[in-house]
Amino acid sequence: MTQSVLEIRGLEKSFRMHHLDNQLHAFSGIDLELSQGEFVLLKGANGVGKSTMLRTIYRTYLPVAGEVIFHSARGRIDLARAADIDVALLRAEEIGFVTQFLVARPRVAAEEIVAEPLILSGKSRQEAIEKARHWLNVFGVKEKLWRAYPTTFSGGEQQKVNLARALILPRRLLLLDEPTASLDVGARSALVNRLGELKAEGVAMIGVFHHPGDVQELIDRTIDLSVETKPRDMEPLNVAV
Amino acid sequence: MIAPENVKLAAPQFVTTPPVLTMRNMAKVYGDVVAVDNVDVTAYRGEVLGIVGESGSGKSTLLRMMNLEEQPDHGNYKLDIKKDIDNLFELDRFAQRQIQSRHIGIVYQNPHQGLLMKHSSSGNVAERLLIAGERSFAVLREKASDALASSEFPLTRMDAPPIELSGGMQQRVQLAKAIALEPELLLLDEPTTGLDVSVQALVLDTLKRLQQQRKITMVIVSHDLGVIRTMADRVMVMKSGKVVEQGLVDQVFQDPQHPYTQQLVHAKL
Amino acid sequence: MKLKSLSKPWEAVSYGFLDASAKREIRRKMLKAVAVPGCQMPYASREVPMARGWGTGGLQISLTLMNPKSIVKVIDQGADDSVNAASIRKFLTRVTDAKSTWDTLEANLIQSRHRIPEERLTRDQILVLQVPNPEPLRSVEPNMSIARQMHADADYSRMWLQLYEQIVRSGRVMQGASYPSMVNGRHVMTPSPIPRWDVPKLNMAENLTILSAGREKRIFAVPPHTKVEPLVFSDVPYKVEEHHNLTCARSNLQGYFMNEIPNEDGTSSYEVSDSHLGIKKLNEEDGDTNLIGDTWYKNGEWQS
């Protein structure tokens, strides 16, 4: 019997736009259960709220209703209501989020950005940098770029740095928001390999993929948001910030 | 004002990170201007708490209170230091200054406020150590150069007076001075506002690195949302002396609840 | 009873020049200063027939302390015969009918500018030092109110910082005269512009020392048997002027604080700064004996 990692019940999200005096509905009535080592694919048409749901779980968006019970190593916690500081702690230790966009701090070398989660988790700088180089290499970032600033990289290279950083530390729960979007073939297969490894280690994952074929063999379950959610005055949402 | 209807009061379910700074019901009125209106602040160990707001929102007054430079009209202030003190504002000025000089570090926007411009840079750092009672010249030298090195200040210039240094270097001296005694709390008052953009990035980078290495609890006040977004873990948004919204930095920036925060975030270039 | 029996005959000037209420105020302030060693006490500082900054502070203390039995010695940078010392001595004896002397051992009141005599003072003697700038924090904190707060908090880090800066810039502590010193472990004072050579003479001394600044209107004191410690870093020892091996060109005295006299050929010769000590030495060579008393330094070495 595998251990449950995440239990979502009746999750609902809408955005209130004060300047329009308007409410934008994203999704509602979502139920989902996720166990260790399980890989769930979210699917649905554009604008159905797939990314929004990942962000709501991650608490980048505040849920309007429902529960997001996370079975942390420290105990059971409702991410929808948890104190910010607890969420921050869980993000540092147990919950990872992989986006297609890298928010790089200016003038920080690629290897430092990748090593940061390891350093934060208490690893020595030396060890962290070595691991960072390993993963940069695996994802196909050329060695001469390791010490360069990712702000100057192309979109694809930035994405590789981002993946290396997000996947360097095994998490309990990993949220994947189209991580394959702008990747070349080599990096894509490296990513799929790494995800497979992490899955085998027991990492639970929820992912949104444009081309689910890439990760076909990892998928345990598929959830179709367009069926699950009950649309009410749905407007296409474009809330990527 | 429209009440933010879907903000839930987040009750801690397990807080394993202890608070370092706890302020309750802080209030300060200047004449008939309410600078700080019953504000609660908690800063947890090792986190970076950002405070944003426009000029006159009360954020700087709040920071001055954290540094015990300003006495509130009422309010309770606890700092997680070894002594068991219920409210720092009930201490006399002498005891407050002891705590200020040993447990709180501050970097001001204007280096003239935080530094003796004509003393040496290392001397500026050494002063903090002297206040704490260090009386060995060799130890002063060593600790001052350690602190300057941690602030990524070029040690070849450690005895140059700040007045001869660039703005970015002056901020590094302030930072070295602030961290020399390894304070429980590091306060940053618009630390990069006076600097040009490229230097700003370097100083923020140093701050970030230092924060990660030493796990210093920081409170950073800025009107620059970019600075807060880069530096902070959590953010408080202030307006007219009140906290209108607080939360994780990405949440406040990407899913702001309060009309004022929405305006503020959307106004960003 | 007649009114006449209650009053004194008319006098042109009060005894000791100062009026009784001025003396009373100064006595009270001296008592306060003794009670809190090293702490500056403000006082009114009356007009005296001398310009402010020429020793009016010391003069008012001397005038208050003197009585017809006093034997007063006045020195200016160690010399009894400088114009300033001579004028003050004449004035003091004229308004008090007290005796004057050049001999440190004979005097019971010594008013001095910038030196402490080389012979040990005893419990029966009072040393009055003239002080130009009583506030040791003046150079690091020009705001007097804040300086007073710093004294109240015993926050002397800025003074230490000044020493730090001197070592950083010059490789050694450059402070010569007025070396800031901690009195009784509590207040930092300026010992008036005496050389570093003289500061140890204040520590645990037998005599009472009163320091008074007339222009700045401050009195402070070092009572007998009170610790006076120059501010020093634990690893940078306090150093007095290197006069140990200098010889006085007139008296052949050696191992005392010297005045440097430049010669025409660019060299220097030296004269003992405590001028009457030199006179005693010369008189001893003429046949007198045992004129020189116990001194703080012997052969240039401090005797504790």
Side-chain angles (χ1 to χ4, degrees):
Chain A
M1 177 75 198
T2 47
Q3 206 189 329
S4 172
V5 172
L6 197 67
E7 295 165 50
I8 299 175
R9 283 189 216 107
L11 191 64
E12 177 177 342
K13 177 61 189 164
S14 61
F15 295 90
R16 171 147 197 154
M17 313 298 258
H18 288 281
H19 64 293
L20 300 175
D21 201 13
N22 194 359
Q23 189 103 3
L24 294 181
H25 181 74
F27 55 79
S28 60
I30 299 284
D31 297 310
L32 170 75
E33 196 148 333
L34 191 66
S35 305
Q36 270 187 344
E38 204 174 3
F39 189 109
V40 169
L41 177 78
L42 290 185
K43 77 174 200 192
N46 271 347
V48 79
K50 303 187 294 286
S51 293
T52 306
M53 180 164 155
L54 290 183
R55 290 180 194 176
T56 309
I57 297 170
Y58 197 56
R59 259 288 280 279
T60 296
Y61 295 156
L62 278 179
V64 177
E67 285 180 324
V68 182
I69 307 294
F70 177 64
H71 295 274
S72 142
R74 295 165 191 274
R76 183 177 180 279
I77 189 165
D78 180 2
L79 292 178
R81 271 168 212 83
D84 295 326
I85 189 69
D86 287 339
V87 176
L89 181 78
L90 291 175
R91 284 178 178 187
E93 293 179 350
E94 301 188 30
I95 307 176
F97 196 103
V98 192
T99 60
Q100 36 191 331
F101 308 105
L102 170 71
V103 186
R105 289 205 313 281
R107 304 220 192 186
V108 182
E111 57 185 27
E112 303 246 350
I113 287 191
V114 175
E116 198 175 270
L118 282 178
I119 293 173
L120 284 178
S121 78
K123 292 274 186 306
S124 80
R125 188 172 180 76
Q126 186 62 33
E127 192 184 338
I129 294 280
E130 268 165 30
K131 274 213 161 156
R133 288 178 182 157
H134 168 74
W135 286 110
L136 281 169
N137 189 33
V138 168
F139 285 108
V141 180
K142 291 183 212 76
E143 187 170 349
K144 62 179 179 185
L145 291 179
W146 293 354
R147 284 160 164 270
Y149 304 139
T151 33
T152 61
F153 290 7
S154 71
E157 299 298 310
Q158 286 199 3
Q159 172 64 352
K160 291 175 190 169
V161 173
N162 196 26
L163 289 178
R165 175 188 160 95
L167 301 176
I168 195 164
L169 201 66
R171 311 283 188 153
R172 202 175 184 81
L173 173 66
L174 207 50
L175 306 167
L176 306 157
D177 190 4
E178 301 196 17
T180 53
S182 50
L183 287 184
D184 53 43
V185 183
R188 198 173 300 172
S189 70
L191 169 66
V192 174
N193 281 341
R194 177 62 176 155
L195 292 181
E197 250 174 70
L198 290 172
K199 181 168 150 59
E201 283 174 37
V203 177
M205 289 180 250
I206 307 180
V208 177
F209 288 84
H210 253 302
H211 306 288
D214 296 337
V215 286
Q216 201 57 58
E217 62 267 39
L218 300 177
I219 299 172
D220 295 315
R221 254 185 314 145
T222 302
I223 290 176
D224 190 343
L225 274 193
S226 5
V227 179
E228 289 277 328
T229 187
K230 318 281 179 294
R232 293 179 304 203
D233 60 60
M234 271 268 291
E235 281 178 50
L237 263 176
N238 185 7
V239 282
V241 181
Chain B
M1 200 187 294
I2 315 156
E5 58 185 39
N6 49 5
V7 176
K8 289 192 198 71
L9 269 184
Q13 296 183 4
F14 55 83
V15 175
T16 38
T17 318
V20 167
L21 169 149
T22 319
M23 280 185 148
R24 292 290 171 263
N25 291 317
M26 302 303 300
K28 180 80 183 177
V29 177
Y30 297 112
D32 48 7
V33 180
V34 182
V36 175
D37 190 358
N38 286 307
V39 169
D40 291 352
V41 193
T42 310
Y44 296 90
R45 172 138 298 159
E47 77 160 341
V48 181
L49 175 65
I51 303 179
V52 285
E54 57 203 9
S55 309
S57 60
K59 58 189 195 304
S60 291
T61 306
L62 196 61
L63 196 81
R64 281 204 301 278
M65 289 177 183
M66 290 178 185
N67 195 33
L68 298 166
E69 285 173 66
E70 188 105 41
Q71 198 77 10
D73 296 338
H74 63 75
N76 193 294
Y77 180 12
K78 248 185 168 165
L79 210 52
D80 180 28
I81 48 181
K82 289 191 186 75
K83 294 162 210 141
D84 191 25
I85 301 162
D86 265 352
N87 186 358
L88 294 181
F89 289 121
E90 278 165 12
L91 298 177
D92 60 25
R93 197 185 51 83
F94 177 69
Q96 284 189 358
R97 286 188 47 181
Q98 299 280 311
I99 286 170
Q100 183 192 42
S101 58
R102 282 165 179 74
H103 301 288
I104 307 172
I106 188 160
V107 174
Y108 295 99
Q109 176 183 351
N110 183 352
H112 285 263
Q113 205 178 338
L115 295 178
L116 301 161
M117 295 309 266
K118 290 180 180 168
H119 286 66
S120 64
S121 296
S122 66
N124 271 285
V125 182
E127 192 194 4
R128 286 279 284 197
L129 303 160
L130 286 165
I131 291 173
E134 182 53 60
R135 292 292 179 259
S136 155
F137 182 77
V139 173
L140 285 173
R141 261 332 250 180
E142 191 191 317
K143 287 194 176 169
S145 60
D146 282 355
L148 284 165
S150 302
S151 309
E152 294 166 11
F153 181 92
L155 290 184
T156 48
R157 305 228 62 200
M158 69 182 279
D159 292 327
I163 200 154
E164 292 174 6
L165 301 171
S166 68
M169 286 300 143
Q170 290 177 352
Q171 293 309 68
R172 288 178 195 279
V173 179
Q174 278 209 73
L175 183 60
K177 181 178 175 176
I179 60 166
L181 285 177
E182 301 188 351
E184 271 77 4
L185 182 64
L186 178 59
L187 306 173
L188 305 152
D189 187 5
E190 306 264 8
T192 57
T193 302
L195 306 175
D196 57 60
V197 179
S198 62
V199 180
Q200 187 169 8
L202 291 173
V203 172
L204 288 178
D205 187 34
T206 301
L207 277 171
K208 190 87 190 172
R209 195 161 13 234
L210 201 63
Q211 205 276 332
Q212 287 176 357
Q213 279 165 9
R214 301 203 181 178
K215 308 266 192 288
I216 307 176
T217 311
M218 288 188 188
V219 177
I220 178 166
V221 160
S222 183
H223 66 271
D224 185 334
L225 301 185
V227 169
I228 297 291
R229 196 207 283 266
T230 327
M231 290 299 302
D233 300 316
R234 290 192 307 126
V235 61
M236 281 171 46
V237 183
M238 285 191 75
K239 182 177 191 288
S240 317
K242 285 194 171 74
V243 178
V244 294
E245 181 161 354
Q246 59 179 315
L248 291 157
V249 79
D250 56 329
Q251 181 252 301
V252 171
F253 279 99
Q254 295 189 35
D255 186 18
Q257 305 293 314
H258 191 275
Y260 175 73
T261 321
Q262 291 193 353
Q263 266 181 20
L264 194 75
V265 169
H266 296 152
K268 191 181 185 301
L269 291 175
Chain C
M1 188 179 284
K2 290 189 174 169
L3 193 59
K4 214 174 179 178
S5 67
L6 292 171
S7 58
K8 288 196 290 184
W10 183 86
E11 289 171 326
V13 184
S14 308
Y15 177 79
F17 187 79
L18 293 175
D19 59 273
S21 67
K23 288 198 225 172
R24 188 170 75 144
E25 190 215 359
I26 291 172
R27 275 196 300 272
R28 294 170 74 144
K29 288 298 157 64
M30 283 193 287
L31 284 172
K32 270 190 162 182
V34 167
V36 192
C39 183
Q40 299 164 52
M41 302 298 169
Y43 73 110
S45 189
R46 302 304 204 276
E47 291 288 339
V48 284
M50 195 164 67
R52 290 267 157 93
W54 290 84
T56 53
L59 184 67
Q60 289 176 75
I61 302 297
S62 298
L63 288 169
T64 306
L65 290 172
M66 281 174 78
N67 58 51
K69 286 184 198 155
S70 298
I71 305 169
V72 65
K73 170 183 166 81
V74 182
I75 48 175
D76 179 354
Q77 303 222 357
D80 295 87
D81 54 355
S82 81
V83 175
N84 199 20
S87 325
I88 292 177
R89 183 169 54 245
K90 270 189 196 160
F91 179 72
L92 285 174
T93 48
R94 195 172 136 196
V95 298
T96 60
D97 296 326
K99 271 193 6 180
S100 71
T101 180
W102 284 22
D103 185 351
T104 303
L105 301 179
E106 194 190 350
N108 53 24
L109 181 72
I110 301 168
Q111 182 178 335
S112 168
R113 172 178 176 265
H114 300 190
R115 275 310 310 277
I116 296 176
E118 299 285 6
E119 287 160 297
R120 269 179 198 270
L121 301 180
T122 65
R123 54 192 289 185
D124 300 321
Q125 295 175 302
I126 297 176
L127 175 67
V128 178
L129 285 168
Q130 299 167 201
V131 183
N133 295 308
E135 180 52 78
L137 295 169
R138 177 75 43 92
S139 59
V140 295
E141 180 50 70
N143 185 328
M144 208 192 270
S145 307
I146 294 178
R148 282 189 75 88
Q149 284 187 359
M150 288 162 78
H151 279 296
D153 293 350
D155 174 7
Y156 296 117
S157 50
R158 289 278 173 91
M159 304 284 336
W160 293 94
L161 181 58
Q162 208 178 24
L163 300 178
Y164 174 93
E165 290 287 295
Q166 290 173 6
I167 299 178
V168 163
R169 282 187 192 163
S170 318
R172 64 188 174 91
V173 174
M174 298 297 284
Q175 188 88 29
S178 305
Y179 197 98
S181 305
M182 176 72 82
V183 184
N184 200 25
R186 176 60 183 83
H187 286 91
V188 167
M189 69 157 190
T190 169
S192 85
I194 57 175
R196 287 195 299 245
W197 182 272
D198 284 351
V199 176
K201 298 175 183 173
L202 291 167
N203 184 37
M204 300 307 276
E206 291 285 316
N207 66 295
L208 166 66
T209 305
I210 308 257
L211 301 99
S212 174
R215 186 189 57 205
E216 306 289 329
K217 305 181 173 65
R218 293 286 183 277
I219 293 176
F220 49 109
V222 179
H225 304 285
T226 303
K227 271 202 256 175
V228 176
E229 301 152 301
L231 300 187
V232 278
F233 291 112
S234 56
D235 49 354
V236 182
Y238 182 73
K239 274 196 186 138
V240 299
E241 289 79 358
E242 294 188 351
H243 288 194
H244 314 79
N245 299 318
L246 301 180
T247 308
C248 175
R250 284 172 189 258
S251 63
N252 284 324
L253 272 172
Q254 208 183 7
Y256 296 104
F257 192 75
M258 297 288 164
N259 294 334
E260 187 175 352
I261 317 280
N263 295 331
E264 299 259 321
D265 61 0
T267 60
S268 296
S269 57
Y270 296 91
E271 275 179 16
V272 70
S273 163
D274 186 341
S275 65
H276 196 253
L277 194 73
I279 292 172
K280 283 181 173 178
K281 177 74 183 344
L282 291 169
N283 286 343
E284 282 184 354
E285 275 167 19
D286 285 349
D288 288 340
T289 49
N290 289 333
L291 293 178
I292 297 180
D294 192 16
T295 53
W296 269 297
Y297 288 86
K298 291 203 169 79
N299 303 318
E301 293 298 319
W302 173 257
Q303 309 292 309
S304 52

